[in-house]
Amino acid sequence: MKIVVDENIPLAEQSFGALGDVVLVAGRQLQAADLRDADALIVRSVTQVNEHLLKGTPVGFVGSATIGVDHIDQHYLRQNNIAFASAPGCNGRSVAEFVITALLELESIREFDLAGKSVGIIGVGNVGSALQSLCEPLGLTVLPCDPPRQARGVSGLVSEEEAWQADIVTLHVPYEEKGRFATRHLGDASRLNALVEGAVLINTARGAVVDNMALSRVLDSRYDLSVVLDVWEGEPFINRQLANQVDIATPHIAGYSYDGKVKGTWMILEALCRYLNTEPPLRYDNLIDDKLNVVLDFSDRQIETPQRAIEIIQRVYDMREDDIGLRTSMQLPREKRALGFDALRKSYRVRRECSTVVLRGAGYLKSVLSEQQFNRVCAMGFQLIE
């Protein structure tokens, strides 16, 4: 069989090669002509999969190695008996760690204390739930909000009004343009203007969940607000003025941990094998090269000793690199900025999740860090070794 795969999906040839011929393509430029003799299509969120792309092709299986599915016309797939699978939860941990890292960075930049603050998590699916599990050990008061789940009778959730009045508002909803639970411009001018004094707003969901033009106007006068944007309306063309106004700007990479991307590949491989009624040709444990494993060794007391959790996290993932990269790309000529945005994602470095990292010398760190800072290290899920 012929399997067409987005070139940015990691380990594609290693994973799918045993099932057929793998053809790598640029996801944003994919056209129907690329699929004229394809049996399966594996994409990311940058590819719109619909009748225009698939009509007249022999594609019988579509997989999206992502959480979101707003780029997929599932109605068309069902009508034409095309099997579909996505990868819900594959990068939930990655996004959750991104949000916590951003908060710790902001704590340093803005000189406030996270302890005791409230966080409104809007959308408590795979990502929101993963984030909630990290927030609570940090001493944050979590206000989980999920209107669709609340409507189904799920308890323990707060209203949108209450969540938007939290000290920190972080968005993890699917993108829905219409309907009772539409999320397009969920963060509209009214809600943005009504954010509490000194609030933090983080969007890692979809760009259009926040009205970018309205946010830019609000930030013209609300200097008290702290904003982290990983997603943007109109990607890969983004609002340069807004990028210059926010505290942290990144190029849609919150879920780009190596572990999350590999997990997405694996979930689609499993789904394709089920479709073909065969067993996966390899195990998940075989996918990640041992050479990519990270060990932070603080047992040698001659090395510089960190004083805060963020200094340890930065050795695994330095968010400032992504912020600088995006801001630098914004200096390119207008016609090259979109290419710059995509290039940052295509050439993204290997970033391991903190929960996969071995931290040696835990006892020593506990003796030199404050209790609060050591608890933060523990909350991030590092594998602690004495």
Side-chain angles (χ1 to χ4, degrees), residues 250-293:
T250 55
H252 200 153
I253 47 73
Y256 260 39
S257 74
Y258 189 70
D259 305 277
K261 290 194 288 186
V262 170
K263 195 176 299 180
T265 302
W266 172 254
M267 291 172 73
I268 298 305
L269 174 62
E270 283 189 309
L272 179 56
C273 287
R274 287 194 296 271
Y275 168 73
L276 297 173
N277 196 28
T278 188
E279 291 295 317
L282 72 171
R283 298 189 314 169
Y284 175 74
D285 293 344
N286 301 141
L287 287 177
I288 297 182
D289 191 330
D290 288 344
K291 294 177 182 176
L292 297 178
N293 292 335

Side-chain angles (χ1 to χ4, degrees), residues 39-338:
D39 301 289
L41 172 64
I42 316 296
V43 300
R44 299 178 304 125
S45 59
V46 299
T47 302
Q48 294 295 316
V49 179
N50 48 32
E51 180 179 5
H52 178 73
L53 181 66
L54 296 178
K55 188 175 182 180
T57 74
V59 171
F61 175 91
V62 172
S64 183
T66 59
I67 291 178
V69 293
D70 51 282
H71 57 296
I72 306 290
D73 186 343
Q74 295 186 70
H75 177 69
Y76 176 80
L77 298 186
R78 287 191 295 269
Q79 279 189 322
N80 290 273
N81 296 314
I82 299 172
F84 172 66
S86 61
C90 66
N91 62 359
R93 178 76 189 195
S94 175
V95 177
E97 289 189 5
F98 175 95
V99 172
I100 296 300
T101 301
L103 289 174
L104 294 175
E105 291 279 6
L106 285 175
E107 185 182 46
S108 176
I109 295 168
R110 290 278 188 161
E111 298 183 342
F112 61 71
D113 189 352
L114 278 177
K117 288 191 178 295
S118 59
V119 54
I121 301 177
I122 302 179
V124 286
N126 289 300
V127 177
S129 297
L131 177 59
Q132 183 170 353
S133 70
L134 293 182
C135 285
E136 290 170 341
L138 295 179
L140 293 165
T141 300
V142 177
L143 303 176
C145 172
D146 198 310
R149 283 180 168 78
Q150 197 167 39
R152 295 197 298 268
V154 176
S155 60
L157 302 171
V158 304
S159 67
E160 285 187 88
E161 290 71 23
E162 187 174 352
W164 277 94
Q165 286 298 291
D167 299 310
I168 302 160
V169 178
T170 179
L171 303 167
H172 305 283
V173 296
Y175 180 67
E176 300 286 349
E177 285 198 353
K178 300 177 181 178
R180 179 183 175 189
F181 301 114
T183 56
R184 182 179 184 277
H185 288 183
L186 188 67
D188 58 14
S190 176
R191 282 197 167 118
L192 296 172
N193 274 305
L195 288 167
V196 300
E197 184 176 354
V200 175
L201 174 67
I202 302 176
N203 187 15
T204 57
R206 284 289 187 266
V209 169
V210 172
D211 183 338
N212 282 201
M213 292 297 291
L215 178 58
S216 182
R217 289 192 295 270
V218 169
L219 292 178
D220 277 338
S221 58
R222 291 288 306 272
Y223 302 116
D224 60 299
L225 300 180
S226 301
V227 178
V228 178
L229 291 185
D230 179 59
V231 289
W232 310 80
E233 283 195 277
E235 294 177 15
F237 302 95
I238 72 173
N239 184 327
R240 184 163 68 165
Q241 178 178 332
L242 180 59
N244 288 328
Q245 289 173 296
V246 302
D247 295 79
I248 299 174
T250 55
H252 200 153
I253 47 73
Y256 260 39
S257 74
Y258 189 70
D259 305 277
K261 290 194 288 186
V262 170
K263 195 176 299 180
T265 302
W266 172 254
M267 291 172 73
I268 298 305
L269 174 62
E270 283 189 309
L272 179 56
C273 287
R274 287 194 296 271
Y275 168 73
L276 297 173
N277 196 28
T278 188
E279 291 295 317
L282 72 171
R283 298 189 314 169
Y284 175 74
D285 293 344
N286 301 141
L287 287 177
I288 297 182
D289 191 330
D290 288 344
K291 294 177 182 176
L292 297 178
N293 292 335
V294 178
V295 177
L296 299 180
D297 192 349
F298 294 100
S299 59
D300 182 356
R301 304 187 186 188
Q302 301 303 311
I303 65 174
E304 183 180 353
T305 302
Q307 299 301 308
R308 299 174 301 160
I310 187 61
E311 295 171 32
I312 297 174
I313 295 168
Q314 285 169 347
R315 301 187 188 198
V316 180
Y317 170 46
D318 194 340
M319 181 175 287
R320 296 170 298 184
E321 292 182 28
D322 293 327
D323 180 81
I324 292 170
L326 182 57
R327 294 184 193 279
T328 300
S329 76
M330 290 293 96
Q331 304 307 311
L332 293 170
R334 185 181 194 80
E335 66 275 11
K336 294 184 178 180
R337 286 179 209 152

Side-chain angles (χ1 to χ4, degrees), residues 93 97 313 316 352-358 380-383:
R93 178 76 189 195
E97 289 189 5
I313 295 168
V316 180
R352 299 303 304 273
E353 294 172 7
C354 291
S355 56
T356 70
V357 174
V358 172
M380 292 299 284
F382 287 99
Q383 300 175 35

